[in-house]
Amino acid sequence: MSIPSRHKGSFDWVLILIYLALVTIGWINIYSTTYDPDVVSFFNLSNLYFKQLLWIGFGILLIIVILSLDVKFLERFSSIFYIVALLLLLGLFVFGKNINGATSWYAIGPLTLQPSEFAKAATALAIAKYLSDLQTDIKTLQGQLRAFLIIALPAIIIIPQPDPGSALVYAAFFFPLYREGLAGVYLLLGFTSIVLFICTLLFGTLVISCAILLIGSVLFYINRKKRPSKRLYIGAILITCLFSLSVNYIFNNVFEQRHRDRFNIALGKEVDTQSIGYNTQQSEIAIGNGGWTGQGFLQGTQTTGDFVPEQETDYIFSAVGEEWGFLGSALVVLLFVILILRIIQLSERQKNEFSRIYGYSVAGILFIHFTVNIGMVTGLLPTVGIPLPFFSYGGSGLWAFTILLFIFVKLDGNKVNEW
Amino acid sequence: MRKILLLALVLTTGLIFIGRLFYLQIYDTSATTLSKNNAIKVVYDYPQRGHIYDRNGALLVTNQPSYDLMAIPKEIKPFDTLALSKLIAVTPDKLRKELKRAWNYSPRQAQVIIPTLSKEEYAFLGEQLRKYEGFYIQKRSLRDYQIDFGANFLGYIQEVNRSTIKKDPYYQSGDLIGRQGVEQQYEDILRGIKGVKRYQKDRFNRAIGPYKNGLLDTLPVPGNDVTLTIDAELQRYAETLLTNKRGGIVALEPSTGEILVLASAPNYDPSDLVGRKRSKNYTKMYYDSISKPLTDRALQGQYAPGSPFKALTGLIGLQEGVIGLNESVYCKGSYNYGGRKPLGCHAHKRSVNLVSGIAHSCNSYFATVYRKTIDKFETPQKGMNAWKRHLESFGLGNYMGYDLPTGKKGLIPGADFYDRYYEFYWGPTTNISNAIGQGEVLTTPIQMANFTAAIANRGHFFRPHIIKNIKGVDSIPAIYTNRNNTTINPSHFEPVVQGLNDVYNFGTAKSLQVPGIDICGKTGTAENYVKIDGKRVQLTDHSTFVAFAPKDDPKIAIAVFIENGYWGSRYGGRIASLLIDKYLNGEVVRKDLEHWILTHSLEEEYAKPLSGKPFPINDGKKISAKFLAEVTTQE
């Protein structure tokens, strides 16, 4: 082991530049959405854009701290971080502050912190630590169960806050697990259930059951020479039909009306412009209004007129769409794609398992946020309130993503030490 | 596989997003409109409509403010329907109906709910309007008429209809547009250009500042004033003379083609079509299919011109060289052309030439001239077309191109016309009535005034027009200042003018002379028929008259047409003389004529065919015999 400080120059500059670019573009758009022509002074804590600038400044401090930490410290204390994160999440039930109907915040003076944002990074560290342990074998049932438990615990605590959106992000850990050898059948199961879920909502249980029966029979007939097990086929058909039935049941009885509406609107089964679909519709209008090059900075009519609710947080991408047009918004999409691909590429290069698994977790988390958020803002996916990383207004989110990313930058920068 | 799963998903998602962005931002352009409706509030500033003056500078039409209750249906919040309907004096049902109609038309567009509130209603409503979200008051200007006549050529303004809005993006729902008359013809000049102010709205529909710092805003451009060629005093007098009569009067200034008088009866007070009583009055007049007050008889009435047409027959004869000035025709009281029944004539000296033929209105003479004209050519087709070409050079048989939006072509039949009608031979004797302005020939009063002006000018005319000056433009289109020559050599006019003068000197209008003015004129008495229950029934003759004066320096050319006024000098001639008297003397000298006209009504005459009973025509000299026979057999 050599002295880590010798290798500070080898941090991956692509990641750092994209990070800076995204944070800068994000801030410009927060400025535009929260700009009020009547407010003259820039340095005023009631200006959200000024606050965000402070958060960014603090974020830079965090980066410096993380990059100067010892890698071993991070690896060794990852379990501690995880337990602290769980305790903080549990503590919300006692000390949490309710904002917009969700008890997800600690109020420290004028500052509010959202522990669920930081819990993602802690969980990523914990899962990396657990999987990189020589004694862990993800191919055994025991290994799988423990891994699932590590992932599921924070998600289970977050759901009743209620913040199902943040909980959904934990699905991102499927990617490192799969990369490390989780059986492909889980992938198949997951994919099948999603397809079945959507198809059932679209076409109804009866049609889907008939379709399953037909596909099952055809498959059985084609493979008849291999003497397939009749029980297996009948069992599989029965289970899928039951699943389809239960989808309907869950959708109509467990889901709340607003969730049903969101699905119906995303699937195009309902058109409502006044209340339920208002956000998405206004956001689509804003993006569409951008054209090729956009209306220009501070010139977007939808943005200036505050037509898109929550535009500085979850719907920030609609401001990019309106004011910077197709060129600007496609550039942002490209930056995210390059960022995630670069993380995957660097992860694959890691000799250290811990770094690789952590890197995959980061890529997975960013991917879920990116997909769900932009999918929602462009009207492709149902409304799920999660922020766009580095873009959306909010200190907790920005810091959490900064920590998440720069731990990886640090781990990656340290790889030379392995030789 | 394990290594590329996330990689592939990220790439696919990125591509899908870029595709989606392309669809939303480039391919589907509806968002731009939606966002405009959403986020930009457009406020219009309506300019004053231009004033209208007469040729002597008298103000005819100006403006008065009016207030419309407007609403954007989508923005209306639930409100107390009863209270609002009381404020604006309509029934709650009516208000609800209007709101529903507005919503059905477009929930997002500002529309008029109740037009033209009174000043009191506006004052009360203005105080309370904040209670009614989504409603606002739009100030407009309505017409304020200084005169109670001239509605036929002034036209009116009304709320623009939907098909116009579709065709011309300048207009929005609730805007006012000129219809008929000068208001329609000179709409672009009178209306000016409305100013536009755009405001950025927020999602609570509040204006939060000018859109793009007012870069796209425009100031209103006021409408231009126009001066008409009409002599308001003479027009008023003409309309007074037309009281209780139906018909049209057109007076032109021969040296310019300017329309001095354009009167139609029955007419209406232009103020009747202003404000909230407009709709009721308009509907009433629109459905009045008997007196048709909305029809401008001076422009749209097509009648057989009758005897004044003989002047043209004579001129064509001279031009074609088929008659000499001293050539006489012996009239034995009728003209026998081998038809079923000879063409009758009235009592006068047996031997007539052109000048005395006009003075005595001899049918035989002009039938002879007409026949000779057609027969000069090897076929009647060629003759007929040559005849038609001459008449067209006087502005007959087609639209005249004057600057008013209504009109009729009239009819001058050519060879085609008769070829269609007659399977075998036809010739000048077939349609001999054309010679004396009966038969198939149809003209409008303004066409008659125009050929009179052409005769007064000895061979040319200027296209009739009503515009004298547009403020700020100071010129009128060249088509109104270009001279139109007829096909008749100017030298042929003098004898015809002499004949027309003799009509006053010793002919059919001898009793209508005005002291001090040398008038030329021609009476006309046109037979006419209507269909009652599918039967052709003759009515009392129309009284027509054309005149110009003074003979050697014509200042006014006039055509009068009075429906069922019997003979030419009876109504038409009297009215023409009075107008000439008034125009040239300033004060009417022939008070006896004036008194006669003002005390005689034709309403009784007009009621006859509607009575359902047999009736006498032409002052009892004739019973509408055919009709009588039909009625008796039915009984």
Side-chain angles (χ1 to χ4, degrees):
Chain A
M1 287 289 157
S2 28
I3 305 155
S5 59
R6 240 178 64 190
H7 303 287
K8 266 181 188 164
S10 63
F11 296 128
D12 187 63
W13 59 269
V14 177
L15 290 186
I16 296 172
L17 281 184
I18 293 180
Y19 168 82
L20 289 175
L22 287 176
V23 168
T24 313
I25 300 173
W27 183 79
I28 288 172
N29 284 287
I30 287 172
Y31 180 84
S32 181
T33 48
T34 61
Y35 172 74
D36 181 348
D38 297 336
V39 175
V40 190
S41 86
F42 180 92
F43 303 99
N44 186 330
L45 274 180
S46 63
N47 292 339
L48 290 188
Y49 53 82
F50 179 63
K51 269 166 126 178
Q52 183 73 1
L53 202 58
L54 291 182
W55 307 154
I56 291 172
F58 194 72
I60 307 280
L61 283 180
L62 281 176
I63 292 171
I64 295 168
V65 171
I66 290 165
L67 293 186
S68 53
L69 283 176
D70 190 332
V71 174
K72 284 295 162 202
F73 169 80
L74 289 169
E75 198 174 335
R76 218 166 274 156
F77 283 84
S78 50
S79 319
I80 309 290
F81 294 140
Y82 179 68
I83 288 163
V84 170
L86 284 185
L87 288 175
L88 281 173
L89 284 175
L90 283 171
L92 283 174
F93 290 106
V94 186
F95 307 105
K97 189 185 173 200
N98 190 315
I99 298 176
N100 290 337
T103 315
S104 308
W105 282 269
Y106 282 113
I108 309 159
L111 206 67
T112 55
L113 276 178
Q114 194 181 0
S116 57
E117 294 291 345
F118 299 96
K120 288 172 215 164
T123 311
L125 283 172
I127 202 81
K129 169 85 174 166
Y130 175 70
L131 290 183
S132 60
D133 192 330
L134 287 176
Q135 290 171 1
T136 309
D137 184 358
I138 192 68
K139 291 189 176 85
T140 64
L141 192 62
Q142 194 197 22
Q144 286 166 7
L145 278 177
R146 285 190 182 162
F148 284 146
L149 193 67
I150 293 172
I151 298 163
L153 261 179
I156 288 167
I157 304 173
I158 291 168
I159 289 174
Q161 287 179 354
D163 189 1
S166 293
L168 175 77
V169 176
Y170 287 83
F173 290 103
F174 169 79
F175 294 110
L177 290 184
Y178 180 70
R179 170 66 182 81
E180 296 306 315
L182 187 72
V185 70
Y186 290 98
L187 179 73
L188 192 68
L189 274 179
F191 183 70
T192 318
S193 39
I194 291 172
V195 170
L196 265 180
F197 184 82
I198 293 173
C199 288
T200 307
L201 289 184
L202 273 180
F203 305 113
T205 307
L206 191 68
V207 177
I208 295 304
S209 301
C210 292
I212 292 164
L213 202 65
L214 193 73
I215 294 168
S217 314
V218 169
L219 280 179
F220 186 80
Y221 182 77
I222 292 168
N223 295 326
R224 66 190 184 283
K225 284 186 181 153
K226 294 178 188 165
R227 297 186 171 270
S229 145
K230 279 178 193 167
R231 267 189 226 161
L232 181 76
Y233 269 84
I234 292 168
I237 289 171
L238 267 180
I239 288 170
T240 39
C241 288
L242 274 176
F243 178 79
S244 173
L245 253 176
S246 64
V247 164
N248 251 339
Y249 179 80
I250 292 169
F251 188 74
N252 290 321
N253 297 292
V254 179
F255 274 28
E256 286 178 34
Q257 185 58 44
R258 59 196 170 106
H259 298 132
R260 281 197 286 273
D261 290 335
R262 289 172 184 179
F263 271 99
N264 284 338
I265 288 165
L267 293 175
K269 287 173 79 176
E270 248 177 46
V271 179
D272 181 297
T273 56
Q274 277 302 302
S275 47
I276 312 155
Y278 177 83
N279 288 24
T280 312
Q281 201 219 14
Q282 292 300 324
S283 152
E284 281 182 36
I285 292 176
I287 293 174
N289 196 23
W292 276 107
T293 54
Q295 301 281 317
F297 181 53
L298 294 181
Q299 298 298 319
T301 49
Q302 290 282 108
T303 303
T304 318
D306 272 346
F307 281 91
V308 190
E310 301 292 330
Q311 201 182 17
E312 72 279 8
T313 57
D314 292 351
Y315 283 89
I316 187 73
F317 190 70
S318 66
V320 183
E322 184 174 33
E323 301 204 333
W324 305 98
F326 177 74
L327 297 179
S329 42
L331 175 74
V332 169
V333 169
L334 269 180
L335 283 177
F336 271 107
V337 169
I338 294 169
L339 177 75
I340 299 169
L341 291 182
R342 180 71 180 169
I343 293 170
I344 296 170
Q345 185 195 22
L346 291 175
S347 302
E348 289 294 345
R349 276 198 216 153
Q350 305 296 320
K351 297 282 189 287
N352 181 338
E353 259 188 82
F354 178 81
S355 307
R356 184 177 70 219
I357 296 164
Y358 182 80
Y360 253 88
S361 303
V362 175
I365 291 169
L366 290 179
F367 171 68
I368 294 277
H369 270 274
F370 165 70
T371 308
V372 172
N373 182 282
I374 296 187
M376 164 184 81
V377 173
T378 54
L380 288 174
L381 294 175
T383 308
V384 176
I386 60 172
L388 187 60
F390 316 117
F391 253 74
S392 292
Y393 171 81
S396 303
L398 179 69
W399 296 338
F401 283 115
T402 304
I403 292 168
L404 187 72
L405 181 65
F406 277 88
I407 287 177
F408 179 68
V409 173
K410 175 70 187 172
L411 292 175
D412 172 62
N414 209 48
K415 63 182 182 286
V416 280
N417 299 340
E418 303 295 307
W419 300 342
Chain B
M1 173 64 190
R2 290 185 185 279
K3 287 182 186 177
I4 62 161
L5 172 71
L6 185 55
L7 204 108
L9 279 178
V10 172
L11 280 174
T12 321
T13 313
L15 277 178
I16 290 173
F17 284 167
I18 288 178
R20 175 69 174 169
L21 288 171
F22 186 83
Y23 173 80
L24 285 176
Q25 300 183 306
I26 313 295
Y27 179 77
D28 183 6
T29 51
S30 64
T32 317
T33 335
L34 281 173
S35 96
K36 277 202 182 109
N37 288 342
N38 234 350
I40 300 168
K41 179 178 190 167
V42 182
V43 176
Y44 294 104
D45 195 351
Y46 290 92
Q48 285 270 317
R49 205 172 165 86
H51 294 179
I52 302 177
Y53 297 91
D54 92 330
R55 67 185 295 115
N56 300 316
L59 182 58
L60 305 182
V61 185
T62 168
N63 299 305
Q64 55 182 328
S66 131
Y67 307 91
D68 289 355
L69 180 64
M70 308 275 296
I72 299 171
K74 198 170 94 71
E75 289 165 10
I76 296 174
K77 299 270 146 56
F79 66 97
D80 186 345
T81 323
L82 194 65
L84 181 61
S85 62
K86 257 185 197 158
L87 279 174
I88 53 178
V90 297
T91 62
D93 278 345
K94 160 95 174 155
L95 182 61
R96 272 191 285 268
K97 214 181 91 197
E98 287 300 314
L99 289 173
K100 197 163 169 230
R101 177 196 55 75
W103 179 275
N104 288 342
Y105 177 58
S106 163
R108 283 174 184 276
Q109 271 178 30
Q111 290 164 76
V112 179
I113 304 300
I114 303 292
T116 54
L117 302 174
S118 68
K119 271 176 199 153
E120 293 74 30
E121 285 163 358
Y122 165 66
F124 283 124
L125 187 58
E127 277 174 19
Q128 311 235 358
L129 200 63
R130 61 188 168 75
K131 284 192 204 160
Y132 305 102
E133 210 171 314
F135 288 94
Y136 65 96
I137 287 176
Q138 174 78 56
K139 188 182 163 189
R140 293 178 208 282
S141 80
L142 286 187
R143 281 315 209 183
D144 190 5
Y145 294 96
Q146 310 299 309
I147 52 173
D148 60 356
F149 54 88
N152 59 317
F153 64 80
L154 288 174
Y156 47 87
I157 54 175
Q158 67 169 183
E159 206 179 306
V160 66
N161 60 29
R162 284 174 197 175
S163 62
T164 311
I165 296 174
K166 240 180 224 167
K167 268 182 262 155
D168 187 345
Y170 175 85
Y171 296 99
Q172 263 83 27
S173 170
D175 283 9
L176 296 168
I177 189 172
R179 283 270 177 256
Q180 303 297 345
V182 174
E183 298 278 17
Q184 176 176 337
Q185 187 74 30
Y186 293 101
E187 163 73 8
D188 291 352
I189 288 157
L190 288 168
R191 78 168 181 216
I193 301 168
K194 62 188 169 193
V196 182
K197 277 203 177 84
R198 291 180 172 84
Y199 294 98
Q200 167 80 50
K201 285 195 295 190
D202 68 3
R203 74 194 133 110
F204 305 111
N205 210 28
R206 295 173 302 208
I208 53 172
Y211 172 63
K212 299 212 164 160
N213 292 321
L215 201 68
L216 302 169
D217 293 356
T218 53
L219 285 171
V221 178
N224 281 330
D225 296 348
V226 299
T227 302
L228 304 183
T229 60
I230 295 288
D231 184 316
E233 191 47 36
L234 197 62
Q235 173 79 25
R236 189 194 56 73
Y237 188 59
E239 291 197 26
T240 313
L241 296 178
L242 280 175
T243 317
N244 299 325
K245 288 132 207 129
R246 290 183 198 161
I249 300 175
V250 180
L252 303 172
E253 185 176 73
S255 59
T256 56
E258 291 177 357
I259 300 172
L260 300 170
V261 170
L262 190 72
S264 170
N267 208 347
Y268 58 94
D269 181 348
S271 306
D272 286 351
L273 292 188
V274 177
R276 254 207 264 187
K277 57 185 191 289
R278 189 201 121 73
S279 163
K280 205 179 86 202
N281 287 338
Y282 184 83
T283 314
K284 206 173 109 198
M285 293 196 279
Y286 185 82
Y287 287 109
D288 185 352
S289 59
I290 295 164
S291 58
K292 295 183 185 148
L294 293 176
T295 304
D296 190 338
R297 285 168 165 81
L299 302 178
Q300 292 170 292
Q302 294 189 107
Y303 309 96
S307 302
F309 199 73
K310 288 173 186 163
L312 298 176
T313 308
L315 283 168
I316 295 167
L318 288 173
Q319 180 68 27
E320 293 294 341
V322 294
I323 47 168
L325 284 177
N326 298 318
E327 243 173 82
S328 289
V329 168
Y330 181 74
C331 174
K332 54 185 185 201
S334 67
Y335 179 73
N336 198 332
Y337 56 94
R340 289 167 302 164
K341 196 177 90 182
L343 184 66
C345 199
H346 2 266
H348 58 78
K349 203 171 64 168
R350 285 288 183 234
S351 174
V352 292
N353 60 15
L354 179 63
V355 176
S356 60
I358 291 175
H360 293 297
S361 197
C362 175
N363 287 348
S364 307
Y365 180 83
F366 290 100
T368 309
V369 174
Y370 177 73
R371 194 171 172 177
K372 278 186 174 173
T373 305
I374 306 294
D375 282 344
K376 180 191 163 190
F377 296 87
E378 53 261 52
T379 63
Q381 277 82 0
K382 280 187 182 168
M384 204 68 211
N385 285 339
W387 177 77
K388 183 181 177 184
R389 207 168 43 249
H390 286 302
L391 291 169
E392 281 173 340
S393 77
F394 282 87
L396 301 180
N398 207 340
Y399 297 117
M400 302 189 71
Y402 49 74
D403 53 347
L404 284 165
T406 51
K408 283 278 163 65
K409 279 177 158 181
L411 176 67
I412 299 298
D416 295 356
F417 184 90
Y418 292 104
D419 281 343
R420 264 202 308 278
Y421 258 98
Y422 297 100
E423 205 175 331
F424 303 108
Y425 172 81
W426 61 267
T429 50
T430 320
N431 49 41
I432 195 81
S433 326
N434 285 340
I436 57 166
Q438 296 274 188
E440 281 71 44
V441 177
L442 290 174
T443 58
T444 60
I446 195 168
Q447 286 176 330
M448 292 177 69
N450 189 56
F451 81 65
T452 310
I455 295 169
N457 287 339
R458 277 77 168 167
H460 67 270
F461 66 91
F462 296 89
R463 205 180 295 275
H465 54 277
I466 199 164
I467 192 78
K468 190 161 176 68
N469 185 39
I470 299 166
K471 197 177 161 192
V473 178
D474 297 324
S475 69
I476 60 170
I479 58 159
Y480 301 128
T481 52
N482 288 344
R483 178 175 151 153
N484 298 282
N485 289 320
T486 65
T487 51
I488 311 295
N489 191 311
S491 63
H492 295 317
F493 281 87
E494 219 46 64
V496 172
V497 168
Q498 188 54 52
L500 293 172
N501 190 223
D502 288 346
V503 169
Y504 266 86
N505 293 338
F506 52 80
T508 47
K510 189 166 181 287
S511 63
L512 304 176
Q513 285 171 358
V514 177
I517 306 172
D518 205 4
I519 309 179
C520 304
K522 182 74 197 78
T523 54
T525 306
E527 289 182 3
N528 68 106
Y529 300 86
V530 288
K531 274 200 168 163
I532 299 178
D533 299 335
K535 314 280 177 329
R536 191 165 178 262
V537 174
Q538 188 176 7
L539 298 184
T540 299
D541 298 343
H542 291 323
S543 167
T544 65
F545 199 91
V546 301
F548 65 87
K551 180 189 168 201
D552 293 322
D553 179 23
K555 293 269 192 286
I556 181 169
I558 197 162
V560 182
F561 197 100
I562 302 296
E563 290 182 13
N564 311 116
Y566 201 4
W567 70 88
S569 59
R570 193 181 187 219
Y571 280 94
R574 283 189 170 101
I575 291 174
S577 278
L578 282 168
L579 287 171
I580 288 168
D581 189 358
K582 169 107 179 156
Y583 187 63
L584 296 179
N585 286 337
E587 191 64 34
V588 176
V589 179
R590 291 288 306 262
K591 294 284 184 197
D592 57 326
L593 291 182
E594 186 180 66
H595 181 258
W596 192 93
I597 285 291
L598 292 178
T599 51
H600 281 70
S601 162
L602 282 168
E603 293 298 339
E604 207 180 307
E605 195 66 47
Y606 300 136
K608 282 179 187 171
L610 302 171
S611 63
K613 292 184 194 129
F615 52 86
I617 59 167
N618 291 352
D619 273 4
K621 288 192 179 150
K622 215 169 170 186
I623 301 287
S624 191
K626 198 168 184 179
F627 184 58
L628 180 65
E630 300 289 351
V631 171
T632 43
T633 48
Q634 263 177 19
E635 283 166 357

